Amino acid sequence: MLIEIPNVFSKQEVNQLREQLDARTWIDGNQTSGMMASTRKRNQQLDKDDPVALQIGELIMARLLAHPLFVSAALPLQFYPPLFNRYQGGDTFGYHIDNAIRSTSDGMVRTDLSATLFLSELNAYEGGELVIQDTYGQQSIKLAAGSLVLYPSTSLHQVTPVTSGERTSAFMWLQSMVRDEGQRRLLFQLDQSIQTLTAQQAAEQELFNLTGVYHNLLRRWSEL
Ligand SMILES: O=C(O)CCC(=O)C(=O)O
Ligand SMILES: [Fe+2]
């Protein structure tokens, strides 16, 4: 399941973030890749300990953890904090699958979900599509600045060459409370329907029951 989350940041906010990020020192992106990825990757990144990157990363995580659609879809347990990349002048990242386990200062994170937060305006570059081989086929994703795509880390994916302009983004991984993609999707669908019915002030007793079912499934399927 691939989910687009629009307007995580407003245009004005994104412009401010990009300005701060542009002013930092960008380094060869291969410093953070796994073995499979490094032969296929040509881009730039900020050092993971860059203080501005860390601060903006915190802001992104806080924003996402307060976003009902993100929380419903991801059921987040632990982030691998956002990193920042930039593609220009033909930079690309060929097909790969992200490493399964990443270590942070707080311990190991299993990468159940991957996300890209687009920080460049759509008209600021050509190419740079994030192409994801999802369960439902291939999807080509290029979102407005401030919007995020969330997809299973089991997916093969690539970033096509940026043939003009510049594509800046934040990318991150997270461990979900529910490891299994199918179970996570069922919980998401159930939760979304409950939210819609709640907004319509429909069938109170059935909603009460369904909410109980949601929590009992989550209790059964989550690992903390
Ligand atoms: O730039 C992106 O959207 C994705 C980056 C990516 O796939 C990675 O760094 O593993
Ligand atoms: Fe990747």
Side-chain angles (χ1 to χ4, degrees), residues 80-94:
Y80 182 87
L83 296 171
F84 297 86
N85 64 16
R86 185 162 81 177
Y87 301 75
Q88 58 193 357
D91 285 349
T92 182
F93 196 165

Side-chain angles (χ1 to χ4, degrees), residues 41 43 45 85 87 93 96 98 116 118 130 151 157 159 167 169 171 173:
K41 180 173 180 183
N43 68 4
Q45 286 181 197
N85 64 16
Y87 301 75
F93 196 165
H96 64 280
D98 297 330
T116 292
F118 289 78
L130 175 59
Y151 59 100
H157 58 284
V159 178
R167 173 197 193 269
S169 68
F171 61 103
W173 293 280

Side-chain angles (χ1 to χ4, degrees), residues 42-43 62-63 65 71 76 86 99 109 112 125 133-134 137 140 164 168 181 188 192 207 214 218:
R42 184 152 72 85
N43 68 4
R63 188 63 66 95
L65 290 174
V71 172
R86 185 162 81 177
N99 282 5
V109 176
D112 295 322
Y125 62 100
Q133 308 269 357
D134 190 33
S140 194
S164 74
T168 301
E181 151 75 2
F188 177 65
Q192 291 305 295
L207 265 174
Y214 177 83
L218 184 56

Side-chain angles (χ1 to χ4, degrees), residues 35 45 73-75 91 134 144 152 156 162 172 194 199 207:
M35 229 191 6
Q45 286 181 197
L75 296 168
D91 285 349
D134 190 33
L156 198 60
V162 171
M172 66 214 84
I194 289 172
L207 265 174

